[in-house]
């Protein structure tokens, strides 16, 4: 079964089909180079979930590649950890047949996206993979080579000042075609003892991210936990989205409507 995550192509590729005045996620040119049913809205949703809000179009392009890289890395490592239940994984897709926002890791002109660089790491024959599960931090060692070897594995937890808070050293005999948890660490009491806490989010002020920007998250510590709270949400400025000539060419315009008619109402109608 295929899996993937979209991103924008390299900025040099976008320059080949869009003037600077059209460098906007809602411009007709940029939207016509996006053919996914959920469109750029889905890419932006994931960016704003895990990264700061992009300050401009160039930042949006770069962050889209970062979130694509994060997503594919997470999927590939999940599959590889589940050896032998899963013995292979390939993401969709390698390259493009035209310059476009897509699931590719190499754009139309052959420029590598962030995920293609990252793939050299998460598809390496031997990797470590860190997983949070059942209130524990679990470190896996994965080996796809048909050979055995010995390793001395060192795991360090560092503070923001670079100091070593805790260190674990373990000698491991790595078997051929192998996936195993080599460190199973930090129960809840252990994490609290070294200052690692789960964050409980208060979502009472959090609003639908399709229409609002959730900002001003603050954190407080007390009673052995960290609580995060959202500030007042800011409404997005959504203009009406109109049907375009490209939409007509693609057969997307329903009967009774034409180019220039409203495809989706803006925020003012909600």
């Amino acid at each position: 079964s295929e899996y993937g995550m979209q991103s924008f192509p390299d900025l040099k590729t976008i320059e080949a089909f869009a003037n600077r005045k059209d460098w906007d996620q809602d411009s007709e040119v940029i939207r016509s180079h996006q053919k996914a049913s959920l469109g750029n809205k889905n890419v932006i949703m994931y960016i704003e979930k895990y990264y700061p809000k992009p300050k401009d179009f160039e930042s949006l392009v770069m962050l889209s590649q970062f979130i694509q890289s994060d997503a594919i890395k997470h999927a590939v490592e999940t599959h590889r950890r589940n050896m032998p239940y899963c013995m292979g994984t390939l993401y969709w897709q390698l390259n493009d047949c035209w310059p476009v926002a897509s699931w590719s890791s190499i754009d139309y002109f052959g420029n590598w996206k962030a995920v293609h660089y990252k793939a050299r790491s998460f598809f390496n024959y031997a990797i470590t993979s860190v997983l949070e599960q059942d209130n524990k931090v679990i470190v896996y060692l994965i080996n796809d080579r048909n050979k055995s070897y010995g390793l001395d594995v060192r795991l360090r937890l560092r503070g923001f000042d670079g100091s070593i808070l805790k260190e674990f050293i373990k000698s491991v005999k790595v078997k051929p075609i192998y996936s195993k948890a080599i460190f199973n660490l930090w129960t809840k009491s252990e994490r609290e003892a070294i200052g690692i806490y789960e964050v409980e989010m208060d979502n009472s002020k959090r609003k639908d991210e399709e229409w609002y920007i959730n900002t001003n998250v603050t954190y407080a510590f007390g009673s052995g936990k960290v609580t995060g709270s959202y500030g007042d949400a800011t409404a997005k400025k959504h203009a009406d989205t109109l049907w375009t000539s490209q939409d007509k060419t693609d057969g997307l315009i329903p009967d009774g409507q034409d180019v220039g008619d409203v495809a989706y109402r803006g925020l003012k109608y909600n």
Side-chain angles (χ1 to χ4, degrees), residues 2-242:
E2 70 182 44
Y3 63 93
M5 178 70 191
Q6 275 204 328
S7 70
F8 287 98
D10 192 278
L11 286 168
K12 295 191 295 292
T13 298
I14 295 174
E15 284 181 331
F17 65 79
N19 295 320
R20 288 274 178 162
K21 65 180 179 64
D22 295 314
W23 282 24
D24 185 279
Q25 67 195 48
D26 294 318
S27 74
E28 182 176 348
V29 174
I30 296 300
R31 290 195 304 110
S32 68
H33 285 75
Q34 167 58 272
K35 297 304 180 185
S37 58
L38 296 176
N40 295 331
K41 180 177 68 174
N42 202 48
V43 176
I44 294 166
M45 177 192 72
Y46 283 111
I47 289 173
E48 293 184 355
K49 187 174 182 180
Y50 294 102
Y51 288 97
K53 178 179 172 61
K55 64 180 181 180
D56 51 32
F57 183 76
E58 291 93 327
S59 300
L60 172 63
V61 169
M62 293 305 298
L63 287 174
S64 75
Q65 293 195 16
F66 293 165
I67 199 69
Q68 179 192 37
S69 178
D70 293 343
I72 299 302
K73 176 180 183 292
H74 178 81
V76 169
E77 289 190 4
T78 299
H79 293 159
R80 295 188 66 184
R81 284 196 306 267
N82 280 280
M83 185 189 304
Y85 177 80
C86 177
M87 294 299 291
T89 180
L90 290 173
Y91 61 81
W92 179 264
Q93 66 198 64
L94 177 63
N95 54 9
D96 287 323
C97 62
W98 69 305
V100 64
S102 80
W103 301 264
S104 73
S105 60
I106 303 176
D107 73 20
Y108 176 71
F109 290 112
N111 299 303
W112 287 22
K113 296 181 180 179
V115 66
H116 206 74
Y117 290 96
K118 180 67 74 174
R120 295 186 297 185
S121 297
F122 60 67
F123 271 134
N124 201 335
Y125 69 89
I127 64 170
T128 55
S129 179
V130 181
L131 173 69
E132 285 190 57
Q133 181 176 290
D134 299 328
N135 289 320
K136 290 187 177 182
V137 176
I138 305 172
V139 181
Y140 281 79
L141 198 154
I142 301 163
N143 174 37
D144 270 321
R145 277 189 170 177
N146 192 25
K147 63 180 292 187
S148 299
Y149 48 92
L151 286 178
D152 290 327
V153 183
R154 173 177 290 145
L155 176 65
R156 288 174 172 172
L157 175 68
R158 293 183 180 269
F160 287 109
D161 62 355
S163 61
I164 299 174
L165 303 177
K166 203 161 187 176
E167 181 177 66
F168 303 87
I169 301 174
K170 190 173 188 178
S171 295
V172 180
K173 180 69 173 179
V174 181
K175 297 179 181 180
I177 318 300
Y178 172 95
S179 173
K180 185 176 180 180
I182 56 172
F183 289 113
N184 198 323
L185 307 169
W186 300 322
T187 63
K188 183 178 180 181
S189 59
E190 289 173 331
R191 290 203 311 273
E192 290 177 354
I194 57 177
I196 302 176
Y197 297 91
E198 292 185 26
V199 178
E200 295 184 5
M201 293 301 300
D202 176 4
N203 292 317
S204 57
K205 284 192 173 183
R206 190 170 185 268
K207 293 192 175 183
D208 188 340
E209 292 182 349
E210 180 177 358
W211 303 109
Y212 292 89
I213 302 170
N214 292 295
T215 56
N216 302 321
V217 179
T218 57
Y219 297 93
F221 176 79
S223 302
K225 65 180 180 180
V226 178
T227 303
S229 302
Y230 288 93
D232 293 330
T234 303
K236 292 183 178 180
K237 296 179 180 179
H238 283 279
D240 288 344
T241 302
L242 308 181

